Amino acid sequence: MASPSNKQIVVLGAGVIGLTTAVKIQEQRGYQVTIIAETLPSDPKSIRYTSHWAGAHHVSLAGEDKLQARVDQETFGVMWEMSALGGEAEGCFLRQKQVEYYCDKQADPHPLAHMPDFRRLDENSLIPNTVAGIGFTTLTIDTPIYLNYLLSRFLARGGAIVRGSVQHISQVVDGGARVFTGSKSAGVPVDAVIVCAGIGARFLGGVEDKDVYPIRGQTVLLRAPWIRFGRTMSSKDGLWTYIIPRRSGDVIVGGIKVPNDWYPTPRPETTQDILKRGLVLCPELAPQSIRDQREPTVNDLLPLVIEEGCGLRPGRKGGIRLEVEWYAKTDGQAPKVPIVHNYGHGGAGFQASWGSASVALELLEKALAQARLAM
């Protein structure tokens, strides 16, 4: 049971950023965290919950963005430890060899030079229409399993969940963590709110960040347990093809990145294009029995398809928002409540999750210290 002296923290959102941030704070002494979310990992998949649809593998695209590079690298370190043999979350991850092919020259040193077993590919090992390539070891994440692991870990550490659709920050600041439950304890004051609302930050009253926009992705999930390596290829026309195996034997094939496209269901023509590109990049997707007889076709992959999926990555102009605002109660009574923003991760939510949670915790602690001094 939570101590009465614990700071009452509310996290808005139960995607990978919200769950990870909630776990990170709940596991510190002195905090009682409640997640308020409309959708949870155990719910049926829908376009309203993006994290389920991620691949996902840890391949940072931070480039010269120092904040993104910091949170990505910290997250990789945490996940690498979690994925170790016998680790608590080993079953959520697959450590595997990754190859990246590029249609343009790459920086030297390469932004991924810190990854295990990093190497540059020889020119004679490149595939058509690419001019550079690298190899390294990374990990992939079985996202549905991992999200439920985070939720279970949060609850096991004493965290609380409230299902609710927050329309405005003031509802939580004025009403408390359990305002949507009708509980008599609903009015317990909130000491801070962490906004991990993803796309919802665009519409959430009191935030309404118009720099947030969707980056639509679409993928195909295949059953191909013989694939135990990852490949990615970029092209000059903006297409992005990737093969992401999961520990379970499923394989994500993708994909697309289309800004400001809100379409909520998979487009059949896109699925066909993804499978076509995926087969070119990775002929091994087809069963060995077929490849022994002839060159495989897209039709050979269709019996392997488990599902098609699409999600709206929460992009943001200017990148991740990690900062504090102070919000006054509706009645104007002091003190103001710190609002810590942690959203706008685009397609990097999983690979930035633990690092951005650490930054959010740092901001929270500084804000609460400032609030104490102001009393």
Side-chain angles (χ1 to χ4, degrees):
M1 183 175 293
S3 167
S5 63
N6 284 348
K7 294 294 184 182
Q8 299 295 314
I9 312 299
V10 171
V11 172
L12 301 183
V16 66
I17 297 299
L19 289 169
T20 309
T21 302
V23 169
K24 183 76 176 181
I25 299 171
Q26 181 65 33
E27 292 182 351
Q28 312 300 309
R29 289 187 177 182
Y31 296 106
Q32 174 58 45
V33 182
T34 300
I35 293 175
I36 302 179
E38 184 176 2
T39 307
L40 300 174
S42 54
D43 292 345
K45 291 181 178 180
S46 77
I47 194 66
R48 298 181 64 84
Y49 188 86
T50 300
S51 293
H52 260 319
W53 301 113
H57 59 190
H58 199 292
V59 179
S60 176
L61 301 174
E64 297 181 357
D65 186 330
K66 292 183 179 179
L67 174 60
Q68 186 74 58
R70 171 192 167 182
V71 297
D72 286 359
Q73 290 183 33
E74 180 174 340
T75 302
F76 180 76
V78 173
M79 287 184 168
W80 190 255
E81 184 174 339
M82 293 170 72
S83 68
L85 184 64
E88 180 181 2
E90 177 193 359
C92 300
F93 301 97
L94 172 68
R95 292 185 179 185
Q96 47 99 31
K97 299 294 185 182
Q98 176 74 17
V99 171
E100 300 270 309
Y101 296 105
Y102 303 107
C103 64
D104 50 12
K105 295 293 185 181
Q106 296 295 295
D108 190 10
H110 194 279
L112 293 173
H114 63 279
M115 295 295 283
D117 307 314
F118 176 86
R119 62 188 175 87
R120 288 185 179 270
L121 302 185
D122 296 332
E123 288 188 10
N124 58 10
S125 64
L126 299 177
I127 61 177
N129 302 315
T130 63
V131 299
I134 59 172
F136 52 94
T137 299
T138 187
L139 51 82
T140 67
I141 306 133
D142 196 325
T143 54
I145 296 175
Y146 181 66
L147 291 165
N148 280 288
Y149 159 78
L150 289 175
L151 178 59
S152 298
R153 176 170 163 178
F154 172 67
L155 294 173
R157 303 305 197 274
I161 295 285
V162 171
R163 191 185 291 271
S165 178
V166 180
Q167 298 162 301
H168 199 284
I169 288 287
S170 63
Q171 294 174 319
V172 179
V173 171
D174 292 345
R178 299 187 176 276
V179 67
F180 295 98
T181 69
S183 168
K184 293 181 180 180
S185 62
V188 174
V190 170
D191 293 290
V193 178
I194 319 293
V195 177
C196 303
I199 287 287
R202 181 182 175 96
F203 309 104
L204 177 62
V207 179
E208 297 174 280
D209 189 341
K210 299 307 179 186
D211 285 335
V212 173
Y213 64 98
I215 306 173
R216 186 177 179 275
Q218 185 167 322
T219 59
V220 186
L221 183 66
L222 305 180
R223 183 63 183 173
W226 52 89
I227 301 296
R228 278 322 207 218
F229 54 83
R231 287 180 192 162
T232 300
M233 181 180 71
S234 63
S235 63
K236 292 182 179 179
D237 55 9
L239 291 175
W240 183 38
T241 307
Y242 49 83
I243 310 297
I244 303 176
R246 292 176 173 174
R247 188 183 184 91
S248 64
D250 296 343
V251 178
I252 286 281
V253 183
I256 58 170
K257 294 186 292 184
V258 185
N260 296 306
D261 183 352
W262 292 88
Y263 195 70
T265 60
R267 293 186 172 101
E269 64 275 17
T270 304
T271 294
Q272 286 292 314
D273 179 61
I274 287 171
L275 289 175
K276 181 180 178 181
R277 288 188 279 122
L279 190 59
V280 171
L281 177 61
C282 184
E284 298 95 325
L285 284 172
Q288 183 69 53
S289 58
I290 292 175
R291 286 182 281 123
D292 286 344
Q293 298 179 41
R294 56 177 172 79
E295 185 175 341
T297 68
V298 168
N299 286 337
D300 296 319
L301 301 183
L302 298 182
L304 309 179
V305 174
I306 299 172
E307 67 177 359
E308 304 164 60
C310 70
L312 304 177
R313 305 178 184 96
R316 182 174 182 270
K317 298 174 186 176
I320 302 171
R321 187 181 185 190
L322 275 165
E323 60 183 0
V324 178
E325 284 187 304
W326 293 85
Y327 198 87
K329 294 184 178 181
T330 303
D331 59 12
Q333 293 185 4
K336 291 184 177 181
V337 175
I339 310 297
V340 180
H341 297 289
N342 184 11
Y343 63 83
H345 295 76
F350 281 87
Q351 71 195 38
S353 54
W354 287 101
S356 63
S358 291
V359 177
L361 176 60
E362 292 171 10
L363 293 172
L364 172 67
E365 292 180 333
K366 289 178 181 178
L368 292 176
Q370 183 177 341
R372 285 194 297 271
L373 291 174
M375 293 179 64

